[in-house]
Amino acid sequence: MAHEKRSASRLSLIVRSIVAVVYLLLAVCMFVTGRSHTVLIDNHAAEDGSYKAIKSMTVTVNHNPPSEFMKGDRDKFTVKGQKLVIKVESFDGSADGVYTLKIPLAEDSVIVSVPRLAAGMDGAMEHFDLN
């Protein structure tokens, strides 16, 4: 009889531990996929002339509706999760492309330079302080 109680108690402890681990994993998954970020899309030329602004384009960020940008424009989007997909369609076809970036988990807001991204340069995404 005592052996059956210990087995039942041990089984109960194992089941509770498994449930706790599953809840913890679910919480982490929800935090990572549900975390929202502010993304600023920028169409400015470099001050040093290393890349030029795109004359006119349509940009789609993740599943948001497309937005039109002219030279010097900047717009703000809110995205959920770490994956950022930016589809660029320039009106003259010179800078068309689809770019995938990963937003660092700790970042609340980032700025993405589309001309720098289209030029294939590093550092197209940077931290941005909204305050």
Side-chain angles (χ1 to χ4, degrees), residues 43-68:
N43 187 23
H44 286 90
E47 291 180 13
D48 64 1
S50 58
Y51 56 88
K52 296 184 187 254
I54 299 168
K55 186 176 178 182
S56 54
M57 64 181 169
T58 301
V59 176
T60 305
V61 177
N62 287 4
H63 300 292
N64 289 305
S67 293
E68 287 188 9

Side-chain angles (χ1 to χ4, degrees), residues 1 4 10 21 29 59 74 80 83 105 109-110 127:
M1 186 76 147
E4 288 178 15
R10 187 173 296 158
V21 168
C29 182
V59 176
R74 180 182 286 174
K80 285 191 177 227
K83 186 176 180 184
L105 184 61
S109 55
V110 294
H127 166 78

Side-chain angles (χ1 to χ4, degrees), residues 34-47:
R35 171 112 161 81
S36 47
H37 305 272
T38 301
V39 176
L40 283 92
I41 299 295
D42 185 70
N43 187 23
H44 286 90
E47 291 180 13

Side-chain angles (χ1 to χ4, degrees), residues 3 12 26 45 66 70 79 83 93-94 99 107 110 116 125:
H3 180 13
S12 175
L26 185 61
M70 298 305 203
V79 298
K83 186 176 180 184
S94 64
Y99 308 95
E107 292 290 343
V110 294
R116 189 175 186 116
M125 180 172 61

